[in-house]
DNA sequence: GTCTATATTCCGATAGAC
DNA sequence: GTCTATCGGAATATAGAC
């Protein structure tokens, strides 16, 4: 309560500046000097708070991932009907990414550079939640409510349609020949359209 | 003919080593020393052939993109039926990426770091081909052969489902709890399943 | 905790012999 | 064309005053 009213501490300033720079430039491309500048303080302070660039990066990326994951799992573990769950998941997720549109590039990039890191710190215990989604799909198939489909493939399709437009934004914008604001609108329409597209495909 | 029998020239050795390293580490993360090592020669030679790291990178990325694009546009400009075109496109594309699975991460990454570069060198004149695909979709909607859908959204969905599983491979592997070879099989099944999924969704 | 100044490491690039 | 040796700059990291 009280803490929220204080202006941000140096540590917080560094972290948010670091997140910006790392997301734009990646680990190797980021400069401690630039982070310091954006945080409005001296380079040496970064080392005072976080020993090294590597350590700072680790903190930033861990925070980024844990801002993303719980949000999804929260929706997955509700006891909604399959179609409603799909609608909530896609809409929530796209809405969130729209406010953090650098996150996907950042995560994809670093996850591919250093795969083992993530699965030490994140994921792992979250797999159970995913399994429950898979079972829900299988059940719906069994009841004939949706056409036969592999839960894995459905999951991949859903995630792909949600995340990829953020990764490929510059390409799509150019390919479709539309400016920034228009692309924003196209993306925003996807909060509904992706779920529609999925559900249409699932008709028996 | 004859040239193919020669062993690779230094220039070719550098280029293929450079592609490897740039794809794994990105522009900023790559080291000229490592490229030289993998090419089995001295660092100074890289500068002899390609003045600078930047120049070398430019050659590599231009080659990479032009290995990808014509393949897609070739399929788009055939006069196949819409569904057949979708089947060909997805299958071709996934098959190609399966043999160049680092390419998507590389391109997404660098395209976001430096968007303007690409649209100077690539794309641009290719937009016409895409427009013809868009028109074909609109026509099919008009004829009632498929349900009403925005061509843009369909195009994004198709590309997303094709490319994203390569970008998110480490995550999907972990999330689905399957080993490398199994993931290969899942991807390979997608050469058919993605088209099926799309076409199912398009039913009127 | 925060700064200035400096040490240290790393890496792209060049010079010059062969 | 290819190598060894080295330069010069940039960036991370530390020392030490305040």
């Amino acid at each position: 309560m009280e803490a929220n009213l204080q202006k941000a501490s140096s540590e917080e300033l560094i972290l948010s500046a670091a997140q910006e720079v790392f997301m734009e430039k990646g680990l190797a491309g980021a400069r401690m000097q630039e982070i310091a500048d954006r945080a409005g303080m001296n380079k040496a302070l970064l080392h005072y708070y976080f020993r090294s660039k590597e350590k700072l990066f680790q903190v930033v990326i861990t925070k980024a991932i844990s801002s993303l994951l719980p949000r999804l799992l929260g929706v997955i573990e509700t006891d909604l009907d399959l179609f409603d769950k799909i609608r909530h998941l896609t809409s929530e997720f796209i809405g969130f990414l729209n406010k953090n549109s650098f996150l996907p590039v950042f995560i994809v990039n670093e996850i591919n550079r250093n795969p083992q890191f993530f699965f030490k710190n994140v994921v792992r215990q979250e797999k159970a939640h995913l399994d429950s989604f898979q079972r829900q799909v299988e059940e719906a198939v069994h009841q004939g409510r949706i056409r036969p489909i592999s839960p894995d493939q459905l999951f991949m399709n859903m995630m792909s349609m949600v995340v990829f437009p953020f990764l490929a934004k510059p390409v799509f914008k150019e390919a479709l020949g539309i400016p920034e604001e228009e692309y924003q609108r196209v993306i925003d329409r996807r909060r509904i359209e992706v779920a529609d597209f999925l559900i249409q495909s699932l008709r028996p």
Side-chain angles (χ1 to χ4, degrees), chain A residues 19 22-24 61 64-65 67-68 93-112 118 159-170 187:
Chain A
Q19 189 188 29
F22 281 136
M23 286 198 187
E24 289 171 25
I61 202 167
I65 300 236
S67 76
L68 182 61
F93 203 176
I94 291 176
F96 173 74
L97 292 182
N98 231 341
K99 289 183 197 126
N100 302 269
S101 52
F102 256 111
L103 204 53
V105 180
F106 179 58
I107 292 183
V108 159
N109 195 24
E110 301 303 335
I111 228 170
N112 279 284
F118 289 84
M159 288 300 146
S160 298
M161 289 195 279
V162 167
V163 180
F164 188 68
F166 292 96
L167 296 167
K169 176 168 143 175
I187 289 275

Side-chain angles (χ1 to χ4, degrees), chain A residues 30-73:
Chain A
R31 297 289 159 245
M32 296 296 267
Q33 185 59 59
E34 185 173 0
I35 296 174
D37 290 347
R38 293 208 204 177
M41 67 189 63
N42 195 278
K43 214 176 46 165
L45 259 198
L46 310 197
H47 288 93
Y48 174 78
Y49 281 105
F50 310 84
R51 279 189 71 76
S52 72
K53 182 185 179 181
E54 206 77 30
K55 289 268 187 6
L56 174 56
F57 180 75
Q58 208 155 317
V59 173
V60 167
I61 202 167
T62 304
K63 269 186 147 39
I65 300 236
S66 39
S67 76
L68 182 61
L69 227 69
R71 193 170 289 255
L72 291 185
L73 298 169

Side-chain angles (χ1 to χ4, degrees), chain A residues 85-132:
Chain A
K85 200 174 280 189
I86 288 176
R87 288 193 197 284
H88 271 75
L89 262 177
T90 51
S91 175
E92 268 284 296
F93 203 176
I94 291 176
F96 173 74
L97 292 182
N98 231 341
K99 289 183 197 126
N100 302 269
S101 52
F102 256 111
L103 204 53
V105 180
F106 179 58
I107 292 183
V108 159
N109 195 24
E110 301 303 335
I111 228 170
N112 279 284
R113 296 243 189 291
N114 187 2
Q116 67 276 30
F117 169 78
F118 289 84
F119 312 117
K120 297 267 159 59
N121 304 29
V122 227
V123 192
R124 196 81 347 141
Q125 78 279 16
E126 321 289 10
K127 227 193 129 291
H129 301 198
L130 194 97
D131 288 345
S132 89

Side-chain angles (χ1 to χ4, degrees), chain A residues 147-164:
Chain A
R147 70 176 172 87
I149 187 171
S150 144
D152 288 358
Q153 299 281 353
L154 175 58
F155 181 70
M156 289 174 96
N157 290 344
M158 179 167 65
M159 288 300 146
S160 298
M161 289 195 279
V162 167
V163 180
F164 188 68

